[in-house]
Amino acid sequence: MFGNQQPFYVASLDCVLKAYLRWTTNLPRVQPFYAVKCNNTPAVLWLLSALGSGFDCASKGEIDLALSLGVTPDKIIYAHPTKPSYHIRYACSQGVDTMTFDNEEELLKISSFHAHAKLVLRIAVDDSKSELKLSPKFGVPLSSAGKLLERAAQLGLQVTGVSFHVGSRCTESSAFKQAIADSRHVFDIARSLDFKMSLLDIGGGFTLWPLLENIGHKVINEALDELFPPDSGVRIIAEPGRYCVESAFTLAVNVIAKRAAVNETDGSSDEAGNRRMEYYINDGVYGSLNCILNFPENMKIEPHLHRAVGDSEPRLKSLLWGPTCDCVDKVLDSVWIPELRVGDWLLLDNSGAYTSSLCSDFNGFERALTFPVMTADAFNTLIRPHCKVFFLRSCPPGSWTTQQD
Ligand SMILES: Cc1ncc(COP(=O)(O)O)c(C=O)c1O
């Protein structure tokens, strides 16, 4: 099956399912609109759609993908504040009406190409508690929100909500608390301008741990209940990406070449006199592991060898290169692993977020294949009873693999 030794993912749909169920338990008032950009594997989108999730799409292409899987336009938010005009026109033609904006030029485009859109104002919020910041690029500063809303009113546009993103991999729920308070402030300004405000979108940035596992969700729920209580008539949504898929994917990469370390400054042996090794694997920063370029210091890649290795076998200080002819294509500078053979497989857990969706064809290396799997138990008890029609309609024969446990 893997004769060509292409890199591949095993995607545990059970993990996606569990993350979704945990979400509905912990944040019962917040409907997830999964951020397609994070990982657009069709089986993941099918599953989330079957469970009732909406979708955050960033472009015509993502809208197309969601619609092609049977998602209805009312379950899509076009959550990109700066959109090409023809993508706006396309959204309009498909009945995708809810979209974000954060500047006046965007309002002018929307008034030309989708004048009846339901607009959601993206505000800039404090993203200092997150590892990947988004506020430098998107979101109107709070101090300018009123002026922008006045402009929307002049153009006769319909502003119906507020959105924010605290940044990806947010580590403190206080960031959400503050952003929810900021949103309340903007809601009040908008209502004073007679806008019928009915949607709060608390964005992405969630991680399985610690935000939703510990007390993080309580802080969010309390802030929502205080500032947007259930009887306020405001619908709350979010755009989780990483939370839904990160831990569900394991990437398998193949060792395609090796050599003894040649870097003269580091020396070719480690402190104990063991050889230092360099390996070339068939996926790298131009492929699945592009996220290393974004935050190298935070990537905790811990590769596991696919075969058993005795405890007595020495661990050698090793460097992992990606496959392309570019020195930037380095996956790990230094990792202590047993000596690998060409042809060995290394397994990288937690590879579901911003991996396959950021892949390029640089140097012509193949993209990783994806094999979605689901336990028969989860499929039979949770999916089949509710989603028979959906699955019969949507899944090409043979596209599902089940496993016994
Ligand atoms: C507008 C928007 N929503 C949601 C997300 C998903 O964020 P996360 O994966 O951190 O949940 C992103 C990520 O870039 C985004 O830009």
Side-chain angles (χ1 to χ4, degrees):
M1 185 182 191
F2 305 121
N4 63 3
Q5 295 176 327
Q6 209 167 328
F8 66 95
Y9 296 96
V10 175
S12 163
L13 298 181
D14 285 37
C15 271
V16 178
L17 177 64
K18 279 182 200 147
Y20 188 90
L21 295 178
R22 198 175 299 131
W23 178 286
T24 54
T25 305
N26 287 344
L27 293 171
R29 290 189 58 209
V30 186
Q31 189 192 0
F33 274 56
Y34 171 68
V36 176
K37 64 179 79 65
C38 184
N39 186 320
N40 59 11
T41 299
V44 169
L45 304 185
W46 274 321
L47 175 61
L48 289 171
S49 177
L51 291 168
S53 178
F55 293 90
D56 149 16
C57 296
S59 64
K60 174 179 182 294
E62 287 189 355
I63 292 173
D64 243 352
L65 176 61
L67 293 174
S68 75
L69 295 172
V71 176
T72 52
D74 58 306
K75 287 284 190 81
I76 295 175
I77 177 166
Y78 187 175
H80 197 314
T82 53
K83 300 169 275 301
S85 301
Y86 72 105
H87 289 210
I88 300 174
R89 207 181 310 129
Y90 179 74
C92 181
S93 73
Q94 298 302 312
V96 174
D97 296 334
T98 306
M99 56 183 66
T100 59
F101 75 103
D102 69 1
N103 66 82
E104 182 177 349
E105 286 299 324
E106 196 68 9
L107 286 177
L108 296 173
K109 278 187 288 173
I110 293 170
S111 71
S112 299
F113 299 110
H114 197 345
H116 302 297
K118 294 177 191 151
L119 298 182
V120 177
L121 177 56
R122 167 96 171 252
I123 57 171
V125 292
D126 178 13
D127 57 9
S128 61
K129 308 293 187 304
S130 299
E131 290 177 8
L132 197 67
K133 324 261 178 240
L134 293 168
S135 290
K137 186 166 179 182
F138 297 115
V140 67
L142 275 193
S143 55
S144 311
K147 221 165 142 226
L148 193 56
L149 285 167
E150 280 169 20
R151 187 70 182 112
Q154 276 169 8
L155 290 165
L157 294 169
Q158 220 187 323
V159 180
T160 59
V162 171
S163 76
F164 62 78
H165 196 305
V166 294
S168 204
R169 274 206 182 147
C170 180
T171 51
E172 284 187 32
S173 49
S174 60
F176 281 91
K177 187 176 175 181
Q178 182 56 49
I180 291 167
D182 294 347
S183 304
R184 179 70 256 171
H185 176 64
V186 177
F187 255 70
D188 293 341
I189 300 175
R191 285 200 168 141
S192 73
L193 293 167
D194 280 343
F195 286 115
K196 309 243 171 318
M197 300 293 282
S198 57
L199 184 75
L200 173 65
D201 175 355
I202 65 172
F206 306 88
T207 49
L208 268 183
W209 183 91
L211 210 51
L212 287 190
E213 287 300 282
N214 292 338
I215 50 152
H217 62 281
K218 292 202 181 112
V219 173
I220 296 172
N221 289 331
E222 278 165 18
L224 291 174
D225 286 346
E226 183 191 337
L227 298 171
F228 295 90
D231 64 3
S232 65
V234 175
R235 180 183 177 211
I236 320 280
I237 68 168
E239 300 164 0
R242 185 182 300 283
Y243 167 84
C244 298
V245 288
E246 185 165 54
S247 61
F249 282 60
T250 294
L251 175 64
V253 297
N254 195 258
V255 178
I256 53 177
K258 65 186 265 194
R259 67 177 186 179
V262 293
N263 186 333
E264 284 168 15
T265 49
D266 279 3
S268 57
S269 51
D270 66 24
E271 297 80 36
N274 292 317
R275 283 177 309 141
R276 288 181 57 246
M277 297 301 300
E278 296 186 15
Y279 299 100
Y280 299 78
I281 56 176
N282 62 351
D283 207 340
V285 303
Y286 292 103
S288 302
L289 301 167
N290 178 286
C291 44
I292 290 172
L293 297 179
N294 263 336
F295 35 172
E297 68 284 3
N298 295 323
M299 290 299 298
K300 295 177 185 64
I301 295 179
E302 291 169 7
H304 307 286
L305 191 52
H306 79 289
R307 60 182 165 81
V309 182
D311 284 348
S312 59
E313 203 167 310
R315 268 55 180 167
L316 305 182
K317 194 172 182 185
S318 307
L319 181 158
L320 299 184
W321 294 107
T324 67
C325 304
D326 188 339
C327 275
V328 170
D329 194 4
K330 189 199 284 181
V331 174
L332 262 182
D333 233 347
S334 168
V335 59
W336 291 84
I337 44 177
E339 181 162 3
L340 305 179
R341 304 175 196 139
V342 169
D344 271 342
W345 289 94
L346 288 176
L347 308 179
L348 279 58
D349 291 333
N350 301 315
S351 294
Y354 306 105
T355 46
S356 57
S357 57
L358 273 74
C359 215
S360 81
D361 294 321
F362 184 50
N363 275 216
F365 284 97
E366 296 107 333
R367 292 167 186 238
L369 301 165
T370 301
F371 295 93
V373 293
M374 176 171 252
T375 57
D377 199 27
F379 184 79
N380 288 328
T381 57
L382 289 161
I383 303 297
R384 205 200 302 254
H386 306 293
C387 312
K388 217 174 214 163
V389 175
F390 178 87
F391 275 95
L392 285 176
R393 184 162 54 82
S394 305
C395 292
S399 69
W400 290 90
T401 312
T402 57
Q403 56 189 39
Q404 288 311 312
D405 54 25

